Amino acid sequence: MSDAAVIDAEGIAQKREHPARTTIKRLLRHRLFMTGLVLFLIIATAAILAPWITDVDPNRLSMRNKFKPPGEGWIFGTDSFGRSLWSRVVWGAQLSMLIGASVVALNAVFGILIGAAAGYFRRIDNLLMRINDALMAFPAILLAIAVTSVLGPSTFNVILALGIVYIPRTARIVRSSVIVLREMEFVQAAVAAGAGHWRILTRHILPNAMAPVIVQLSFLFAFAVLSEATLSFLGVGAVPPTPTWGNIMAEGRDFMREAPWIITIPGIALMITVMGLNFLGDGLRDVLDPRLRIQQ
Amino acid sequence: MKRLSLSTGLVAAAMALSAAPLLAAPFTCPTRGGDLVFGQEANVNSLDQMTSSTISTRNIAMNIYETLITRDENNKPIPELAESMQEAPDGMSYTFKLRQGITFHNGKALTSADVAASFDRYNRIGLQRSTLDNVAGWETPDPHTFIIRMKQVQPTFVEALSSFSVPIVIIPSEHKDDERQQLRPVGTGPFRLLEFVPGSHARLGRFDAYRPNTAYEQRTGFGGYRVACLDTVTFRIVTEASARVAGLETGALHVVEDVPTRSVEALRRNSAITILPLQNWWIQIALPNTSLAPTSNLAFRRAVQAALNMEDIMDAASDNNYRLNVGFQYPNQPSYTDAGKETYNINNQQRARALLRESGYRNEPIVILTNRDLTPMYNAALVMEQQLKAIGINASLRVVDWPTSVQMSQRLNSTEWHFFHSGWGTQPALGALATMQFLVSPNAAYRPRDDKDDPEVLAAWNDMNIQRDPAARQEAFARMQRLVLERAYAFPFGSLTKVQASRANVKGFVPFRIPRFSNVWLER
Amino acid sequence: MFLVALRRLLSAIPVLFIVSLISFGLMRLIPGDPAASIAGTSATPAQIEQLRRDLGLDEPLLMQLLHYYQGLLQGDFGKSLLLGKGVLAATMERLPVTIGLSLYALVLTLLIGVASGIIAALRQNTWVDQVAMMIAMLGISIPGFFLGLLMIIFFAVQLGWLPSGGYVPFTQDPIGWLRSTTMPAISLALLQAGLLARITRSGMLEVLRQDYVRTARAKGLPERQVILKHALANALIPIVTVVGIIISLLLSGAVVTEALFSLPGMGQLLTQAVLSRDYPMVQGGLLLVTTFLVLVNILVDVLYALIDPRVRYE
């Protein structure tokens, strides 16, 4: 945690530009961040506008039109059921955004909760971290497979499964920051002044712990989108015919040579999204805390 | 004792005499040698044929093991390790004379003691040991005679005994205590096991001391006159379809179990590759849950029956590689009947809507249960959903994985699904009896309330089993099929063609229920 | 040093206990029983029922749990329902495949990742840097199975250089092993190399800015020596921390890769076990794998402590 940010938090009374404003200005100037933001916004916009920019239901079968290549009449071509790939990929964008955002939200809430609790209250730290380590010890993909198998295949359960897999990692990061911050002078001062736990956490510790978490969450969005694709490929993701990018790719893998567009187009869309998010994360990290570069 | 030269339908007159040399020349290998690699689509975890019902195990195991009697190319029972079989006039015993000079892969000579031990193990842990339910016991009066004694007469016993679903393979007596899935791979077949790495591959090698069955000239079905021309055969597990096609094109794989229909066009243009379609691989089918409304209502089921367009469904299920097929057997089988054909492929939306109104359907949600592991079942369900929606049924899909769908489909009085998608492969290939068992309790596929069979269907089933005259059994089958189709207890969509392929220099390979590598050679 | 390792080992035990509990509970919660899966798709309901009885799946849950831990204490990890053989035996058969693949991938990752990271750092902000980081970024962004499929199409079919799947054990034929594991290893490595390249680059940049490097340069030392002797060693520290993460990522990535290339490794074994509800295999297998990972991480931490004296007194 950089000292600059700590001082900023302390020196609210001083007449400076609000720290958030400085940060945003720096972000806007950061080339990588902007590139990432643009890429991400392209996908996100397409996702939001899905009902208006697609002309046909993504699940509408049309056996007569199966395997049409991109071109006349079909922007992205059709798949093995004659469904419009353009429709499916665009609605898939919406689903990917949904899944990514939800996993991030879950992590934000529970990761911070658990991490802060573990970092702040020494007594439950041990227990929480043991469970945490146990969950982290499972190879991520296997845990996700097991959880979706238990809960049943659905978009919601994929979100839950990925949440369960990644929350321990987020919690760890929060905990590390909280542990360091806990010992800092300004926090000790607040304790001495008689502030309650809740106040200390929300007012003093967490705002300063956010930087690495924010960075982690943006990478997490990317991980979630990628993981969903892998789960669908293995057959345990959201239930078909839900047009997640992973499902579309899984459905297209048998026809890679004869109808490569089915697997390639969502693949490229996925890569653009993930790359955009990674650039975003990089930019955030550079701006929010250069020291984080080494810790990852 | 009456010589067994039974009947029509299912049991052949091909029970030949002892090894008298035939007039025509039996098969000989045009070239000998070579190592062939087979690309198999499903993982195989064990080669214990007695405790396994999976296709992937059978693919390999039936090149290594042999049975007393088996099925020929047209599915009729024929002797394999038995030289002859005689049924007692009262039907209470069967006497098998074993062929002479047969040795196991470990050098031991085959005697009736080994047969008895094999039956012992099968009876103890065989997955289909219910086959022996009516058997009182067996005897071995001398090293070349094996007698099975029945508790009661079972006219269909020979058919059951020769089944290849979970065959009673003959193993050396010292292996009879091997645990489940742990059977040591020693058999009498033309190939022996050299190496087995579950999840990766199995390598077989020619068994030099193999004695072909001189009662035949050619390979037929699972038996016949078999010769191992190849030095080795490697069954390589390649689960990814594009990798199988890739392997075939580069020559890394010589024969491939399954090729997606989409790739066939490109492969056809390749002169180094031969396409080998295998028709009637399985019957694509959907079953109704008659314990739950509205599928408990005959009028509703008939409405659905009228709405179905079998062409579209089969096209989706098989990527246009199918045959329309009435009923539960295929035209090339002697038991085939088109009884009930008026119910098939009606494809009349008007009539369907009328029947739907008649049934009093009030837009209740209908759940179509299918699985994501087997593409044809998933595809068929997707199209069926659309066709039902088109006549105004509030249909939706429930997609789970195979084990879950099986569990759900077998639950008594389930309220979770109305239609269940499946594929019947091995059983129709085995015959009418093996197939129709799906439609009687326990767990009749149409899930009657409290598992209480439709009495008329049950009566027909009983006749199929106990009538001594084969013609009467066949009539019972036709009757049962008609009842099932008219009462819409099942919706068979058609038969799927499995496309296999090989390198052009692989000769003698004829696709079958398993890939047979005897009488196969590599042309130079 | 030794104490550090010992302490880590001891603190790992409760973790492993929780792992075993979670895998037991998780498996029992999955709907659908093993019988239907093991019996295969062409089995009749009667055969499935028979198998269900043969597998003894009707024991009460608590008894199963008890038997499980009882067995564990005796070193018996249970018997796979699918394979019929012991979990430990099956794992020992498969683990070398995955470890071999992961090591190969790790070597490639280190080579590609560290080299490109260093080059990018030295040529900071030139086109070399941009391109290297772009490729690194691509590596992180592409789904593993997609990359694998593309490689199969390209290298196996178009070029015919490498087999499209199958495994040849090293002891049987080293060249064959190399050929059968190269594509899987590369596809795994490319995913992680990007990560490593970026970290190496940042680490190098950080180090190159340091005073001692400037001093070395000012002293007139040859650039090569500056980099190799002074900069690299210090830049290695963060790299070593990531190696532990990379190893577990590789093992995780192996799941997809092994499925794609039909390699009989742990990843494929466990995935299949979960999907077939092979309870003993999943429970025992996961326990063994996590034990292995814990040991690896401890090793990495020890290595880290050896390299960075600041960390010694934790």
Side-chain angles (χ1 to χ4, degrees), chain A residues 134 137-138 140-142 145-146 149-150 226 229-230 233 236 249 256-257 270-271 274-275 278-279 282 294 296, chain C residues 15 18-19 26 29-31 137-138 140-141 143 145-146 149 153 157 198 206 238 252 256 260 270 275 286 290:
Chain A
F138 285 92
I141 222 60
L142 284 172
I145 294 174
S149 302
V150 169
L226 265 178
T230 307
F233 176 78
V236 289
M249 291 176 82
M256 257 194 103
R257 320 252 314 276
L270 205 127
M271 282 170 62
V274 174
M275 264 176 47
N278 276 323
F279 285 146
D282 270 354
I294 300 180
Q296 183 79 10
Chain C
V15 173
I18 299 177
V19 165
L26 215 54
L29 287 170
I30 299 183
M137 188 56 89
L138 260 154
I140 304 176
S141 312
F145 63 91
F146 191 29
L149 280 172
I153 302 287
V157 185
R198 284 143 58 80
E206 179 77 18
S252 196
V256 172
L260 206 53
L270 286 176
L275 295 174
L286 277 178
T290 43

Side-chain angles (χ1 to χ4, degrees), chain A residues 15-33:
Chain A
K15 282 191 177 57
R16 289 164 147 260
E17 191 178 54
H18 196 275
R21 209 149 152 229
T22 331
T23 316
I24 293 181
K25 271 212 229 155
R26 286 167 69 194
L27 281 173
L28 288 173
R29 271 197 302 241
H30 194 284
R31 225 174 6 166
L32 215 56
F33 178 81

